[in-house]
Amino acid sequence: MVTALYRRYRPESFGELIGQTQVTGPLMTALRTDRVNHAYLFSGPRGCGKTTSARILARCLNCAEGPTDTPCGKCPSCIELSRDGGGSLDVVEIDAASHNGVDDARELRERAIFAPARDRYKIFILDEAHMVTPQGFNALLKIVEEPPAHVKFIFATTEPDKVIGTIRSRTHHYPFRLVPPAQMLEYLEQLCESENVKVAPGVLSLVVRSGGGSVRDSLSLLDQLIAGSEDGKVEYDRAAALLGYTHTTLLDEVVDSFAAHDAAAVFESVDKVIQSGQDPLRFVEDLLEYLRDLIVVLSVGDDARSVLRGTSPAELDKMQLQASRFGMAELTHAANIVAQGLSEMSGATSPKLHLELMCAKVLVPSADRTEIGSQARLERLERRIGVGSAPAQTTNTSATATNATPAKSSALASDSPVEAPASSAPIVEIPKKTKPAIKPVDFPASSVAPVASSAPASPASPATTPIETVPEPVAHPIANVTAVELREAWPDVLAAVNKISKQAWMIAFTLNVVDLVDDVLTLRFATQRDLDVFKTPQGGSDAVRKAIFDLLGVQVRFKAQVAEESDAPATASAPAPATGPEPEPLPEPEREPETEPEAASPEPVTEPKFARDEDERYGESLLREMLGAKPMTDKNGK
């Protein structure tokens, strides 16, 4: 018959006790300086070393070389109080759960009068002291307060609040804590080496997690796994099944299905959980723990090895690959939904139904109306259109540099004064007498169009005019965005337009997306007046175009349809040049610079007629109604 693992490896000195330096340090100092108190109170969770520390303290006090902070282990007292010893007559351990009354306290008081049989002190260890009744504590109060010189009391309890205050005030209280996971994992690894037991990767992490910081509980679970192992090796499958945790393979299937938005695979995995008889609540706990690990991997990268201790390098590489398929917002959204589902499943009558609804919410970020849900939808859309990928940045930069060379050659062929190094994008140069004030344009380098040039076009090369690009190449290529995706992102576009211009938003929020073919966006206007206002520089075309590009990475041209006259569509973008291939139109304010010299002052922009009358401005009545405001009048009463 084999002794239990937690008994074979019970510490015999304060140096062997793990995870309790806040207790062992002060006690060893008190023993070295001979400032030992007459009564101690050890409190803390179960299995963290309270009773063991009480026995070690008794060995230190009654050691032949003591009192000392390190027992010699050779004297009769140390041998009797060791893990293999039979106990000492001068060290009395009392189970307070069964000796908690006044009569028991009276008997203890009578025994304390007698001197120790052999050792220096007569020590009483009261385990589970919170079980003593208030009457029993009151009966002990006098002898605990003023004991004989040869008597020491040690109270051990998991609930110090149930020990009456008059007793607590007469003791030195030392709180014990749960052992940290990293320290527990290291201790279990050393113990397995001592036992010559091979453990599969991930098994000790399950034991530490199941033990919850209790050394005794962790050793009991490990002892159970070792007893059920074959050929001296503990397999991961058997450990996961015995401890009731979800297998890593099933968690990988669910997470991969979430990343691929494969609803069929997700619900198939949920069915595996139910058919295998596993507790859905435990599955959700394991899934939340795994999502937390993915967030850590995505946040700290290679430094995750120091945070996720006990995880093999192969497992970490797999988790990094899985985390890269998520964005931080989408991963946080999934973790929030799972955490909310976990709280709702506690005590639920149909946990399977809650589990399936939770998975459906994770698959559909649009169901989450919070900021995290919006960010998750945007990240999903960006991954779908290829925005934000590192390889795309390198490819686009190379493409920009390649496209810059023909543009430069064409410009030189047409005697246009354009000069640019080979490694940078070409820059516009216009003769000084007609040089306008050109503002930088915020769109990808590949989405460019020719500008007016004083040199005639050469028949040998169709593009003979210099082109204008962004000084810094944009890292993302123009992506294919469908009309459906644009409609889904339209509320975010309106929000961006609102931040750019309130006046533009008053027109834009009435527009409807009809179709998007290549870069031509068809919009439906309520009235012809809305279309006329939209064409003006202050009307909103630039703000809408910029908002679409910032969110979706697409430079669009507008094609209009009027609800009143749908058979006569109009175009809100600038017309294409008469010569050369049809270019992509640019934002009107950016493509119509002043043609006057720099010294000349620009022409004042006249205010549109619709803006002169406050009562006739579109949307003002609606805005005043929402805000409860009235129009302001000037001195002339207008």
Side-chain angles (χ1 to χ4, degrees), residues 138-354:
N138 289 324
L140 283 176
L141 180 59
K142 186 61 178 177
I143 193 170
V144 171
E145 183 179 7
E146 297 177 358
H150 60 271
V151 175
K152 303 290 182 183
F153 288 97
I154 303 176
F155 299 91
T157 177
T158 57
E159 302 179 28
D161 295 336
K162 291 187 177 181
V163 179
I164 62 176
T166 53
I167 293 291
R168 290 204 311 267
S169 63
R170 288 161 174 81
T171 62
H172 286 186
H173 184 194
Y174 287 92
F176 286 70
R177 302 168 186 167
L178 295 173
V179 180
Q183 201 167 0
M184 180 71 75
L185 183 64
E186 183 180 357
Y187 177 69
L188 294 182
E189 290 175 351
Q190 295 175 358
L191 190 145
C192 290
E193 292 179 1
S194 302
E195 291 289 319
N196 295 323
V197 176
K198 296 181 180 179
V199 180
V203 172
L204 292 182
S205 298
L206 295 181
V207 173
V208 171
R209 181 181 171 189
S210 184
S214 171
V215 181
R216 184 174 61 238
D217 292 355
S218 300
L219 292 182
S220 298
L221 292 172
L222 182 60
D223 195 9
Q224 182 179 1
L225 294 177
I226 294 175
S229 63
E230 297 178 356
D231 300 330
K233 183 176 182 180
V234 182
E235 298 292 343
Y236 179 84
D237 296 343
R238 180 168 294 185
L242 183 60
L243 298 178
Y245 288 105
T246 306
H247 200 283
T248 308
T249 305
L250 185 56
L251 291 176
D252 290 338
E253 291 180 4
V254 175
V255 172
D256 291 339
S257 302
F258 281 150
H261 311 117
D262 189 352
V266 170
F267 286 99
E268 182 180 354
S269 301
V270 171
D271 185 67
K272 289 181 181 179
V273 174
I274 303 301
Q275 296 301 328
S276 61
Q278 186 176 353
D279 185 11
L281 189 62
R282 172 54 66 90
F283 169 74
V284 176
E285 290 178 356
D286 297 340
L287 179 60
L288 182 59
E289 183 81 13
Y290 195 79
L291 291 175
R292 170 259 179 190
D293 294 343
L294 291 181
I295 292 176
V296 171
V297 169
L298 190 61
S299 300
V300 303
D302 295 337
D303 295 335
R305 303 180 187 274
S306 60
V307 179
L308 304 178
R309 296 180 178 87
T311 306
S312 62
E315 185 72 15
L316 282 175
D317 294 339
K318 180 195 66 177
M319 294 174 66
Q320 288 179 353
L321 180 61
Q322 288 177 334
S324 63
R325 300 177 63 186
F326 288 93
M328 180 56 73
E330 188 170 0
L331 199 55
T332 306
H333 159 76
N336 286 340
I337 295 298
V338 174
Q340 182 180 357
L342 180 61
S343 61
E344 292 177 353
M345 288 177 64
S346 301
T349 57
S350 179
K352 178 178 179 292
L353 179 60
H354 284 275

Side-chain angles (χ1 to χ4, degrees), residues 126-139:
L126 276 75
D127 203 3
E128 304 297 334
H130 60 277
M131 301 295 290
V132 179
T133 61
Q135 293 80 5
F137 273 128
N138 289 324

Side-chain angles (χ1 to χ4, degrees), residues 9 231 289 378 456 490 544 576 624:
Y9 288 91
D231 300 330
E289 183 81 13
L378 289 177
W490 190 250
V544 174
R624 288 198 302 270

Side-chain angles (χ1 to χ4, degrees), residues 7 12 55 76-88:
R7 292 181 59 188
E12 294 185 338
R55 293 180 181 178
S77 177
C78 291
I79 294 175
E80 291 173 355
L81 293 176
S82 63
R83 64 171 69 104
D84 298 326
S88 173

